[in-house]
Amino acid sequence: GGGPEIEFADSSDDCLPFDASQVPVFTTLALVGKRYVADATQQEEACSAARMAVGVNQAGRLCASHKIEGRGLHPSQLAQMLQAAQRTGQARIGQLRSLLQQGAAPAGPDGLLERPIF
Protein backbone atom coordinates (compact mmCIF):
# COMPACT_ATOMS: atom_id res chain seq x y z
CA GLY A 1 0.00 0.00 0.00
CA GLY A 2 0.81 3.64 -0.19
CA GLY A 3 0.79 4.20 3.61
CA PRO A 4 3.62 5.74 5.61
CA GLU A 5 6.68 3.65 6.33
CA ILE A 6 7.65 2.98 9.91
CA GLU A 7 11.23 2.21 10.78
CA PHE A 8 12.28 0.78 14.14
CA ALA A 9 15.69 1.67 15.54
CA ASP A 10 17.99 -1.02 16.91
CA SER A 11 19.24 1.25 19.69
CA SER A 12 17.39 3.59 22.06
CA ASP A 13 20.13 6.16 21.34
CA ASP A 14 18.66 6.57 17.84
CA CYS A 15 15.15 7.35 19.12
CA LEU A 16 13.25 10.54 19.81
CA PRO A 17 11.13 10.73 22.97
CA PHE A 18 7.38 10.40 22.50
CA ASP A 19 5.42 13.36 23.87
CA ALA A 20 2.45 11.79 25.66
CA SER A 21 1.43 14.93 27.53
CA GLN A 22 -1.79 15.27 25.56
CA VAL A 23 -2.68 11.56 25.51
CA PRO A 24 -5.72 10.95 27.71
CA VAL A 25 -6.14 8.29 30.35
CA PHE A 26 -9.66 6.90 30.56
CA THR A 27 -11.47 6.15 33.78
CA THR A 28 -14.84 4.47 34.03
CA LEU A 29 -17.02 5.69 36.89
CA ALA A 30 -20.03 3.79 38.21
CA LEU A 31 -22.77 5.31 40.36
CA VAL A 32 -23.30 2.82 43.19
CA GLY A 33 -25.76 4.14 45.75
CA LYS A 34 -24.61 7.69 46.42
CA ARG A 35 -20.94 6.96 45.64
CA TYR A 36 -18.88 6.99 42.45
CA VAL A 37 -16.58 3.99 42.02
CA ALA A 38 -13.64 4.25 39.62
CA ASP A 39 -13.09 1.21 37.39
CA ALA A 40 -15.75 -0.86 39.13
CA THR A 41 -15.60 -4.63 39.34
CA GLN A 42 -18.29 -6.72 37.63
CA GLN A 43 -20.15 -7.03 40.94
CA GLU A 44 -20.03 -3.26 41.51
CA GLU A 45 -21.19 -2.64 37.92
CA ALA A 46 -24.14 -4.99 38.47
CA CYS A 47 -25.20 -2.78 41.40
CA SER A 48 -24.62 0.52 39.61
CA ALA A 49 -27.39 2.83 38.52
CA ALA A 50 -25.27 4.51 35.81
CA ARG A 51 -21.78 4.34 34.29
CA MET A 52 -19.66 6.68 32.24
CA ALA A 53 -16.14 6.69 30.77
CA VAL A 54 -14.11 9.90 30.87
CA GLY A 55 -10.75 10.69 29.24
CA VAL A 56 -8.44 13.20 30.94
CA ASN A 57 -5.00 14.39 29.84
CA GLN A 58 -2.00 15.34 31.98
CA ALA A 59 -3.17 18.95 32.29
CA GLY A 60 -6.50 17.76 33.69
CA ARG A 61 -8.46 18.68 30.57
CA LEU A 62 -11.48 16.55 29.82
CA CYS A 63 -10.85 15.05 26.38
CA ALA A 64 -13.87 12.78 26.04
CA SER A 65 -16.84 11.44 27.92
CA HIS A 66 -19.28 8.68 27.14
CA LYS A 67 -22.38 7.69 29.11
CA ILE A 68 -22.26 3.90 28.96
CA GLU A 69 -25.46 2.60 30.49
CA GLY A 70 -27.96 2.98 33.27
CA ARG A 71 -30.42 5.65 34.16
CA GLY A 72 -30.07 9.32 33.38
CA LEU A 73 -27.94 11.58 35.51
CA HIS A 74 -28.90 14.82 37.19
CA PRO A 75 -26.64 17.68 36.03
CA SER A 76 -25.09 17.90 39.51
CA GLN A 77 -24.28 14.16 39.40
CA LEU A 78 -22.74 14.57 35.96
CA ALA A 79 -20.58 17.45 37.22
CA GLN A 80 -19.47 15.42 40.25
CA MET A 81 -18.61 12.40 38.09
CA LEU A 82 -16.58 14.55 35.70
CA GLN A 83 -14.67 16.13 38.61
CA ALA A 84 -14.01 12.70 40.13
CA ALA A 85 -12.76 11.40 36.77
CA GLN A 86 -10.55 14.46 36.38
CA ARG A 87 -8.90 13.89 39.79
CA THR A 88 -8.59 10.15 39.17
CA GLY A 89 -7.14 10.60 35.68
CA GLN A 90 -4.53 13.11 36.80
CA ALA A 91 -3.54 10.91 39.76
CA ARG A 92 -3.18 7.89 37.47
CA ILE A 93 -1.07 9.81 34.99
CA GLY A 94 1.19 10.80 37.90
CA GLN A 95 1.40 7.18 39.07
CA LEU A 96 2.18 5.95 35.56
CA ARG A 97 4.82 8.63 35.04
CA SER A 98 6.47 7.69 38.35
CA LEU A 99 6.43 3.97 37.49
CA LEU A 100 7.90 4.62 34.06
CA GLN A 101 10.67 6.79 35.52
CA GLN A 102 11.49 3.96 37.95
CA GLY A 103 11.54 1.50 35.08
CA ALA A 104 8.64 -0.50 36.53
CA ALA A 105 5.85 -1.81 34.35
CA PRO A 106 2.31 -0.71 35.32
CA ALA A 107 0.31 -3.51 36.92
CA GLY A 108 -3.08 -4.84 35.96
CA PRO A 109 -6.44 -4.16 37.64
CA ASP A 110 -5.37 -5.79 40.91
CA GLY A 111 -1.89 -4.26 40.92
CA LEU A 112 -0.30 -0.91 41.63
CA LEU A 113 -2.98 1.55 40.48
CA GLU A 114 -5.61 2.35 43.07
CA ARG A 115 -9.38 2.36 42.49
CA PRO A 116 -10.73 5.41 44.29
CA ILE A 117 -14.29 5.69 45.61
CA PHE A 118 -15.79 9.18 45.91
Side-chain angles (χ1 to χ4, degrees):
E5 290 186 25
I6 298 175
E7 188 174 318
F8 294 95
D10 293 332
S11 168
S12 62
D13 295 333
D14 298 332
C15 298
L16 296 174
F18 175 70
D19 178 19
S21 63
Q22 298 302 314
V23 176
V25 168
F26 280 80
T27 300
T28 301
L29 291 171
L31 175 61
V32 180
K34 294 185 179 184
R35 302 270 187 169
Y36 306 109
V37 179
D39 298 328
T41 65
Q42 284 184 334
Q43 288 177 322
E44 292 165 334
E45 285 180 1
C47 298
S48 70
R51 289 189 314 145
M52 86 183 296
V54 181
V56 179
N57 70 11
Q58 180 177 322
R61 289 197 179 108
L62 298 173
C63 301
S65 65
H66 174 72
K67 172 87 172 44
I68 299 170
E69 61 184 25
R71 66 172 174 79
L73 293 169
H74 188 274
S76 65
Q77 289 175 311
L78 177 62
Q80 289 173 350
M81 287 179 91
L82 292 173
Q83 289 173 356
Q86 196 171 20
R87 290 192 306 268
T88 302
Q90 283 186 291
R92 290 202 171 142
I93 289 171
Q95 290 173 330
L96 289 169
R97 184 173 299 283
S98 176
L99 288 171
L100 291 171
Q101 287 173 349
Q102 295 170 15
D110 56 352
L112 300 173
L113 300 180
E114 297 178 14
R115 291 184 328 110
I117 298 175
F118 298 92

